[in-house]
């Protein structure tokens, strides 16, 4: 029979205020050894390996929450001009993080690991499609730039000689429009 890892270690059984302090110390960048020594100075016999196991899980969960918050913030922005590729990238980042955490989970069986690996491949294909969309958008932006330059030349050629002030105003409007389009991209 396969032995299961303990789900609750020594740090999980510490008083809440000590566990919170351990988490804050881990987030501030203290090493597992430093945290272990601090716990011993507090009268708690918690070994380095226990701090390492807890720290690894805690920091992974913390990173997942951070990414999820960023993703939620991006989704909550009320900006219809935001490129769909940004949402796709944020979604891929979050999904990749979740899958990678699942892959390092010791309790996951081989079949579940294989499914998670397939999911990574699917995300990679989706990211390639996303990059292709970006390339297409850049090409279209280039085409708009070429069209605006052609418009400016025609405006100047047709109107510039007889009405230079009108041509200057139209050219300025065309340049401002082009700048707005570039900001939207």
């Amino acid at each position: 029979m396969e032995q299961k890892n303990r789900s609750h270690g020594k740090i999980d059984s510490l008083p809440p205020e000590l566990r919170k302090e351990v988490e804050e110390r881990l987030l501030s960048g203290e090493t597992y050894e430093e945290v272990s020594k601090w716990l011993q100075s507090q009268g708690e016999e918690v070994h380095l390996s226990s701090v390492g196991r807890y720290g690894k899980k805690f920091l992974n969960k913390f990173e997942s929450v951070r990414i999820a918050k960023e993703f939620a913030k991006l989704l909550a922005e009320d900006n219809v001009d935001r490129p769909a590729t940004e949402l796709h990238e944020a979604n891929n980042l979050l999904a990749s993080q979740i899958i990678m955490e699942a892959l390092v989970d010791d309790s996951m069986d081989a079949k579940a690991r294989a499914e998670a690996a397939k999911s990574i491949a699917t995300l990679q294909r989706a990211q390639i499609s996303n990059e292709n969309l970006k390339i297409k958008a850049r090409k279209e932006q280039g085409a708009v730039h070429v069209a605006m330059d052609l418009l400016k030349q025609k405006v100047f050629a047709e109107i510039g000689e007889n009405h230079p002030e009108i041509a200057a105003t139209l050219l300025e409007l065309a340049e401002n429009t082009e700048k707005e389009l570039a900001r939207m991209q």
Side-chain angles (χ1 to χ4, degrees):
M1 181 183 248
E2 193 175 309
Q3 182 181 0
K4 293 278 185 180
N5 290 341
R6 285 187 299 172
S7 60
H8 296 290
K10 284 205 170 201
I11 294 178
D12 289 311
S13 61
L14 289 174
E17 62 276 359
L18 281 180
R19 192 171 54 247
K20 183 171 174 49
E21 181 64 26
V22 166
E23 292 169 354
E24 288 175 10
R25 287 173 179 268
L26 290 169
L27 289 174
S28 72
E30 284 191 27
T31 65
Y32 298 152
E33 184 175 4
E34 290 169 330
V35 173
S36 177
K37 285 180 180 177
W38 176 80
L39 282 168
Q40 289 172 10
S41 76
Q42 300 298 307
E44 299 291 339
E45 284 301 314
V46 180
H47 297 283
L48 174 65
S49 59
S50 294
V51 175
R53 281 190 300 273
Y54 184 85
K56 182 179 174 185
K57 277 185 177 179
F58 172 74
L59 292 173
N60 282 339
K61 284 181 184 174
F62 180 81
E63 182 65 10
S64 292
V65 169
R66 186 190 66 75
I67 290 171
K69 282 182 179 178
E70 286 180 17
F71 180 62
K73 182 180 174 186
L74 185 62
L75 289 175
E77 288 177 356
D78 188 21
N79 182 357
V80 294
D81 295 330
R82 177 183 56 240
T85 56
E86 286 181 20
L87 291 175
H88 181 76
E89 286 175 15
N91 187 30
N92 268 2
L93 182 62
L94 180 61
S96 294
Q97 179 71 22
I98 291 168
I99 292 167
M100 292 307 289
E101 282 178 25
L103 284 172
V104 297
D105 184 355
D106 293 337
S107 64
M108 183 181 270
D109 66 13
K111 184 177 179 183
R113 285 181 196 270
E115 287 300 315
K118 285 181 189 175
S119 297
I120 290 285
T122 300
L123 284 173
Q124 288 174 337
R125 285 191 300 274
Q127 188 60 34
I128 290 168
S129 295
N130 194 44
E131 291 302 318
N132 287 336
L133 281 174
K134 284 182 179 179
I135 290 168
K136 183 179 176 186
R138 283 189 212 110
K139 285 181 182 175
E140 289 173 1
Q141 184 180 8
V144 168
H145 181 69
V146 169
M148 291 301 279
D149 280 347
L150 186 58
L151 175 67
K152 289 178 207 173
Q153 289 172 9
K154 286 187 176 188
V155 164
F156 187 76
E158 294 292 325
I159 302 173
E161 284 184 35
N162 297 328
H163 308 284
E165 60 283 338
I166 294 174
T169 301
L170 290 173
L171 290 173
E172 184 180 340
L173 285 171
E175 286 175 14
N176 289 340
T177 301
E178 189 174 10
K179 287 176 186 174
E180 278 184 45
L181 287 172
R183 276 194 304 268
M184 290 171 51
Q185 298 292 328

